[in-house]
Amino acid sequence: MEKINGETGCTVWLNQYQVHFPNQIKAEAFVAQLQARLQAPHHLPAHRATRR
């Protein structure tokens, strides 16, 4: 997360992508939600091999 002096808002960097937010509170909420989603259990469907 980057806060630029003299400007309002914050920028969250996702690799080379920038996501701009009007304030630090909203930027931190976005980061927290993203972290929660990444850490959540992910259930993949069972793979069934089908032949034609």
Side-chain angles (χ1 to χ4, degrees):
M1 185 170 7
E2 175 180 52
K3 182 154 178 62
I4 301 171
N5 290 334
E7 293 186 24
T8 59
C10 285
T11 300
V12 175
W13 288 84
L14 304 168
N15 291 328
Q16 73 270 24
Y17 300 104
Q18 299 177 31
V19 183
H20 301 283
F21 294 91
N23 57 52
Q24 186 172 351
I25 292 171
K26 290 190 179 196
E28 289 175 351
F30 172 79
V31 170
Q33 180 67 39
L34 185 60
Q35 288 175 331
R37 288 181 179 179
L38 290 171
Q39 295 171 359
H42 295 83
H43 301 286
L44 299 175
H47 177 72
R48 293 193 302 168
T50 57
R51 295 185 182 189
R52 294 182 177 201

